[in-house]
Amino acid sequence: MAKRILPLIPPSLVVDHVEQSKEAITIDCRFRSTEAKCPDCSQASHRLHSRYERRLADLPWQGRAVTITLSVRRLRCSNERCGRRIFAENAGDVSWRHRRRTIRLEDVHRSIGMALGGEAGMRLVARLGIPVSADTILRIARRAYPTGDCEAPRILGVDDWAWRRGQRYRTILVDLETNNVVDLLPDREKDTLSEWLADHPGVEVIARDRAGAYARGAREGAPKAQQVADRWHLLRNCSDALQNVVERRYRVIRDVGKSLMAQLDTDDRMCGQGKNGEPLHERAVRQHDSRHQRRLALFEEVIRLNSLGWSQLAIKRELGIDLKTIRKWLKDNQPGTWKRTIFTENPADAHGDYVRRRWLEGCRNATRFYRKVSDRGYRESIKTFRQWVKVRLRDDVPAPSLFRASRKSSWRTPSSRHTARLLTAEVDTLSRNDRAFVHAISSASSEVAAAADLARRFQSMICNREIAALGPWLQDATGGPMSSFARGISRDKDAVHAALSMPWSTGPVEGKINKLELIKRSMYGRAGMDLLRSRIIGT
């Protein structure tokens, strides 16, 4: 047993005794060297003062917990001019001072804490035979990456993330060349970013969004660095600017939408017709026949596969039909009855003249109709009668439905955000109604049409990296409905120009923010800045 354990012990130690049980292994060790160096004056000494024992938890062996009992000597310093009179032997390759576990065991606890956090890590290490509390795992994780030990990257990505959404935000810094998190800042103020950049010189490119605080902080902290505006944020700001134009003139847009809705309802709904002009009852018959044919084709395929020797379970997996349906079809040798009366002949037809006459007189209640025809001898259910009214009366009488709740229109006036999206979308990708809506808006409001044209040009310029188009666009946009957005682009023109000419963006930063938010939520409120920083940098 001792021979198998010896290779696991560091070479600086000597094993004196091994004691084992079914649950644990205890190894008594001492230092191999007979002398040690004073930590202050570095002079070697072998003058013994006293001894004491340290109990260190180590990695498990064969599923059993391992404890190293280390005999440590206290020595007297031989240098009379040294201020330290007594010191202990150094166990730096085994464990650090005041620790109760070996270095390699602490590395395992740190890795698990980085990946899983406290509670989940505690449950895992208990199964691995190295139990420790959740608080200890978190303390070990916090010590992993102390503040201030990071190096400045050449290409830096800057963005904010929500510590508490809508209330407090902080800043994340990412090395865009290695895609690693560099540091977390406690807020998103310009002074904090400028101080960090001043303390970490060497940043050449800073990719950021269009927040003014980051622009000023980067300019003050790293004046020689090239700032790059993020292209996605530019497109989003353009969309927001167009939405503001739409909202300021939304009364006109709403009137255009209502007019278009009324026209569509008149064309498609008032005549009892579907979208392609087909009467509703004829469409119902056609759909019924189509379902009939599909069901019959499935039945014939089931019979064919069964004749080939396929099992019922194999047929189920091949065709996706319920197993009980297959058994019934094979037992009855027919697909069952699915024929329904599609109002070719209905008992309510005998009362059709009466219902139409009362409808033209002004009666609009289907339940009242049902009571009257029941008194006249109608014996079917009210549901059947309502279906008959819906199919037959609508085709014969050009009037609204008998039901109080009118049918919803197939098209509604879009919201301001949706309207902005429609105005900048490709015409070929829009439906017929949306194309009519966009055309009507452009005819009703010249300012909305001009803003939409500017937005489309700006999006094309950003997506296609058209550097030469930036100057003409600024000239056309200044003084127009999107003048405020154009002035912001002019102030940040150098960063926008760099965005069109350089490949860097804050896309990788957004991915790290997603990971950071996941870590923060998985810790159930225990995620302080020091712990978050250690986990996001260490994983």
Side-chain angles (χ1 to χ4, degrees):
M1 176 69 178
K3 292 182 179 180
R4 285 180 287 178
I5 292 180
L6 282 177
L8 306 178
I9 302 301
S12 61
L13 302 182
V14 177
V15 176
D16 291 333
H17 178 68
V18 177
E19 182 179 348
Q20 60 173 322
S21 64
K22 293 182 178 180
E23 293 81 15
I25 299 175
T26 303
I27 306 174
D28 297 333
C29 298
R30 57 182 170 81
F31 287 97
R32 186 179 299 274
S33 177
T34 59
E35 62 180 20
K37 293 183 178 181
C38 175
D40 289 350
C41 65
S42 300
Q43 183 171 335
S45 175
H46 60 275
R47 298 170 58 191
L48 180 63
H49 176 272
S50 59
R51 298 177 184 272
Y52 71 95
E53 287 187 353
R54 291 183 63 182
R55 295 180 60 85
L56 304 174
D58 198 12
L59 293 176
W61 189 83
Q62 297 290 332
R64 287 177 283 184
V66 175
T67 302
I68 296 178
T69 303
L70 181 61
S71 177
V72 183
R73 295 178 300 170
R74 291 190 180 94
L75 301 174
R76 300 180 187 274
C77 183
S78 302
N79 187 1
E80 295 180 356
R81 290 177 294 180
C82 181
R84 183 183 293 271
R85 308 308 303 166
I86 300 173
F87 64 93
E89 290 178 306
N90 185 14
D93 60 339
V94 180
S95 178
W96 290 290
R97 296 181 60 188
H98 311 300
R99 304 289 174 87
R100 298 183 179 182
R101 60 191 59 83
T102 60
I103 294 176
R104 56 191 181 188
L105 177 59
E106 186 160 325
D107 289 339
V108 173
H109 285 156
R110 179 184 298 108
S111 300
I112 294 176
M114 291 291 189
L116 300 179
E119 296 295 333
M122 179 188 66
R123 292 192 293 268
L124 178 59
V125 297
R127 295 293 301 273
L128 295 177
I130 45 177
V132 72
S133 67
D135 292 335
T136 300
I137 291 181
L138 295 182
R139 282 196 299 270
I140 294 174
R142 285 190 181 96
R143 291 196 297 261
Y145 293 90
T147 304
D149 63 344
C150 56
E151 297 181 358
R154 191 177 67 90
I155 312 297
L156 181 66
V158 182
D159 206 347
D160 59 350
W161 56 280
W163 175 263
R164 188 170 184 180
R165 189 168 299 278
Q167 298 185 20
R168 285 182 292 176
Y169 288 84
R170 299 186 175 182
T171 303
I172 183 172
L173 308 177
V174 178
D175 186 349
L176 296 182
E177 289 185 310
T178 62
N179 200 24
N180 294 327
V181 178
V182 177
D183 204 352
L184 299 180
L185 303 183
D187 53 47
R188 55 177 179 180
E189 302 297 330
K190 71 176 184 64
D191 294 335
T192 305
L193 178 60
S194 63
E195 290 176 2
W196 190 94
L197 291 173
D199 294 338
H200 301 80
V203 178
E204 300 178 4
V205 178
I206 300 176
R208 55 167 178 81
D209 58 14
R210 297 191 60 245
Y214 289 152
R216 293 189 296 270
R219 192 181 308 114
E220 295 176 3
K224 296 183 179 180
Q226 173 63 59
Q227 299 187 35
V228 181
D230 181 63
R231 290 179 290 276
W232 182 88
H233 285 90
L234 288 172
L235 295 176
R236 177 60 186 269
N237 296 150
C238 179
S239 178
D240 292 340
L242 179 59
Q243 183 181 356
N244 292 334
V245 175
V246 170
E247 288 176 349
R248 290 196 298 268
R249 296 156 182 80
Y250 195 69
R251 177 177 295 181
V252 176
I253 295 174
R254 186 173 59 247
D255 294 341
V256 170
K258 288 182 179 180
S259 176
L260 185 59
M261 287 174 57
Q263 180 181 355
L264 293 175
D265 289 343
T266 302
D267 294 342
D268 295 341
R269 300 301 183 188
M270 300 297 290
C271 297
Q273 294 179 344
K275 294 183 179 180
N276 57 355
E278 181 182 14
L280 293 179
H281 72 280
E282 294 183 5
R283 184 176 62 179
V285 173
R286 178 177 55 79
Q287 292 176 352
H288 177 271
D289 293 340
S290 177
R291 290 192 298 268
H292 179 106
Q293 296 298 327
R294 289 196 301 270
R295 187 180 180 97
L296 185 59
L298 281 176
F299 169 74
E300 294 175 351
E301 184 66 13
V302 168
I303 297 298
R304 187 185 70 83
L305 294 178
N306 181 71
S307 63
L308 295 177
W310 285 45
S311 66
Q312 296 181 5
L313 186 59
I315 297 175
K316 171 184 178 297
R317 293 171 178 171
E318 177 69 18
L319 302 179
I321 308 175
D322 188 79
L323 195 59
K324 291 185 291 185
T325 302
I326 296 175
R327 291 172 181 170
K328 183 174 178 59
W329 285 0
L330 294 177
K331 179 181 178 181
D332 299 340
N333 199 24
Q334 62 178 3
T337 58
W338 58 81
K339 294 183 179 180
R340 299 291 185 269
T341 303
I342 310 299
F343 301 111
T344 54
E345 294 183 2
N346 192 285
D349 290 337
H351 310 280
D353 295 338
Y354 169 76
V355 173
R356 293 184 182 89
R357 178 172 54 82
R358 292 299 308 274
W359 165 258
L360 294 175
E361 291 175 357
C363 183
R364 298 292 186 270
N365 192 299
T367 304
R368 183 178 301 175
F369 275 128
Y370 176 73
R371 295 196 190 104
K372 294 296 183 180
V373 296
S374 297
D375 295 340
R376 296 168 62 93
Y378 183 74
R379 293 295 178 263
E380 300 294 330
S381 65
I382 187 172
K383 180 179 179 180
T384 304
F385 180 74
R386 285 179 180 273
Q387 292 176 346
W388 176 85
V389 171
K390 184 185 300 184
V391 173
R392 290 300 177 86
L393 190 61
R394 184 172 295 168
D395 289 340
D396 294 342
V397 182
S401 172
L402 294 178
F403 303 107
R404 295 285 185 182
S406 61
R407 297 179 59 182
K408 292 184 178 181
S409 175
S410 61
W411 185 87
R412 294 285 181 180
T413 304
S415 62
S416 59
R417 169 64 69 181
H418 192 196
T419 300
R421 188 191 68 80
L422 293 177
L423 289 171
T424 56
E426 295 290 339
V427 178
D428 297 337
T429 62
L430 300 179
S431 63
R432 176 176 60 87
N433 296 337
D434 289 339
R435 285 197 299 268
F437 176 66
V438 170
H439 179 72
I441 291 176
S442 301
S443 301
S445 176
S446 59
E447 293 184 348
V448 173
D453 179 66
L454 289 172
R456 286 191 293 268
R457 288 173 54 190
F458 186 84
Q459 291 180 0
S460 176
M461 175 182 65
I462 297 297
C463 295
N464 299 325
R465 308 287 188 90
E466 300 172 356
I467 302 177
L470 179 59
W473 186 90
L474 288 174
Q475 294 178 358
D476 296 340
T478 302
M482 298 182 69
S483 58
S484 178
F485 175 66
R487 287 193 297 269
I489 295 296
S490 299
R491 289 192 297 267
D492 207 16
K493 185 176 180 180
D494 293 338
V496 176
H497 189 277
L500 299 178
S501 59
M502 302 182 71
W504 308 110
S505 70
T506 61
V509 185
E510 297 292 345
K512 294 300 180 181
I513 292 175
N514 186 35
K515 181 179 180 179
L516 180 63
E517 296 284 354
L518 176 63
I519 293 175
K520 183 170 70 72
R521 292 188 180 96
S522 67
M523 301 196 67
Y524 303 99
R526 296 289 300 274
M529 275 293 292
D530 55 346
L531 183 58
L532 274 180
R533 183 179 182 277
S534 297
R535 291 194 64 183
I536 193 64
I537 296 177
T539 53

